Every structure is written in structure tokens, then in C-alpha cells.
Amino acid sequence: MLTDLKTPYTDTRAGDLAWALGRDPMPALAKLDLELEGTAVQLRLLGASHQVLLADEGGIFCSETVACIPGSRTPLPLGVSKRMDDWEYAFAARVETLSDGSFAGRAQELLALVADHPHGLAGTFPGSPNAFTALLVQRRGRQTHWRTWHAYPQERRLVVTHTRVGARVREPERVGV
């Protein structure tokens, strides 16, 4: 799903993005609700980038926010791996700096990919067709994966993230001999 976001572009530098795990739902400009093999997934476009919420019958068990978060002291990390209760979380991010021509082509390619995907949500910001945030989610076995793209045309930078959340694989208990 592709939407035009009716808001000023608030996170105008790739370096302003921050990462947070466990935040409450933030006001969203656009949302996509999905049910993937018993897991409720909500993709959220914020005025300052994205938030993904995962829930099961017990409520929200994972909330990832990548956005300009006023007062945040957690910059965008290159990678995070956490074990929490019965699930594992892995996050990776990278920043790509492209030439003018490459940036525009890559931006339009990504928007087309996500706009036509049943599990994708993308929003373009006013002022540039290449200023966007896009999310794409899928379920593989007992794990939910999502990728995001945050485009900064004035810098020709693309921030790409990949997240994996899944049930912890428990080691079999050893029985003494």
C-alpha cells in the first residue's frame, strides 16, 4: 500500500534517526494491520519514520520504533540482539549513500516493490517523490521478519533496516546419566 503523507518531513537527516524497543504506540499517519500465522502485525508510518507492533492473544509483545525521537539517547545502532521471555529479537541497520541518479532510481524501485506487496506499507512525504518511509513484513516459520527503508533525498542517503523476531529455540534439557 502506498500513501501520500500529509505532514511536514520531520526527520530530514539520516543521522537523526534513533532506535527504541518497547515504546508505547505513537501517533501514526498511516497503518497497515495484518494477521500472519497467529501474530497480529501493525506497520505504522510516523511523521518521524516508523513503528512496528507485534501482538498475540496476550497483547503487544514487541514494539520497535525507528524515528526522530525527541530526547532519545539511543542512536540508530548497526545491530542489536536480545532475548526476552519466550522470544528473540535481532535488528540490523545500514546507511547507503548513493549518487543522484542511483538514489532516484533506487527510491522508485523500492516504492514500486512495497506499494504492490500485500504486506507492505509506504508513505511519501510532500516536496519530493523520493522522500519516503517504507516497510515490508513477512512470516517464515515461527519468525516474523521486516525490512524498512527511510529515504533522505537531500543527502542521497537510504537507511535500511532488517528485523527478525521469533520464538526462542529452547535447548533440550539434559538428563543425567
Side-chain angles (χ1 to χ4, degrees), residues 95-107 110 153 155-158:
V95 178
E96 300 174 9
T97 302
L98 305 165
S99 68
D100 284 333
S102 295
F103 183 88
R106 181 82 170 125
L110 289 168
E155 295 181 319
R156 295 181 331 276
R157 287 190 172 174
L158 191 63

Side-chain angles (χ1 to χ4, degrees), residues 7-37:
T7 187
Y9 195 39
T10 59
D11 58 338
T12 57
R13 291 186 42 234
D16 290 341
L17 283 177
W19 168 87
L21 191 60
R23 289 185 70 98
D24 288 335
M26 297 175 71
L29 301 171
K31 298 187 259 188
L32 178 62
D33 291 301
L34 300 165
E35 181 76 27
L36 301 176
E37 298 178 28

Side-chain angles (χ1 to χ4, degrees), residues 7 9 124-131 153:
T7 187
Y9 195 39
T124 56
F125 291 90
S128 171
N130 298 328

Side-chain angles (χ1 to χ4, degrees), residues 9-161:
Y9 195 39
T10 59
D11 58 338
T12 57
R13 291 186 42 234
D16 290 341
L17 283 177
W19 168 87
L21 191 60
R23 289 185 70 98
D24 288 335
M26 297 175 71
L29 301 171
K31 298 187 259 188
L32 178 62
D33 291 301
L34 300 165
E35 181 76 27
L36 301 176
E37 298 178 28
T39 299
V41 179
Q42 187 177 78
L43 305 178
R44 302 167 64 85
L45 294 176
L46 312 176
S49 285
H50 89 260
Q51 188 171 52
V52 176
L53 306 175
L54 301 182
D56 58 16
E57 63 279 348
I60 294 173
F61 67 88
C62 181
S63 166
E64 173 191 275
T65 306
V66 173
C68 289
I69 303 168
S72 175
R73 299 198 187 283
T74 307
L76 191 65
L78 294 177
V80 174
S81 182
K82 291 185 175 274
R83 287 184 175 194
M84 297 181 201
D85 299 323
D86 291 333
W87 55 277
E88 295 178 335
Y89 171 91
F91 171 87
R94 72 177 190 276
V95 178
E96 300 174 9
T97 302
L98 305 165
S99 68
D100 284 333
S102 295
F103 183 88
R106 181 82 170 125
Q108 292 310 302
E109 174 185 273
L110 289 168
L111 284 171
L113 168 76
V114 175
D116 294 337
H117 198 286
H119 300 151
L121 175 63
T124 56
F125 291 90
S128 171
N130 298 328
F132 69 90
T133 299
L135 301 93
L136 185 62
V137 65
Q138 61 182 322
R139 184 82 177 172
R140 292 186 211 146
R142 297 173 59 192
Q143 298 184 333
T144 305
H145 296 253
W146 62 89
R147 295 186 62 103
T148 72
W149 299 270
H150 304 261
Y152 299 90
Q154 69 283 6
E155 295 181 319
R156 295 181 331 276
R157 287 190 172 174
L158 191 63
V159 177
V160 181
T161 73

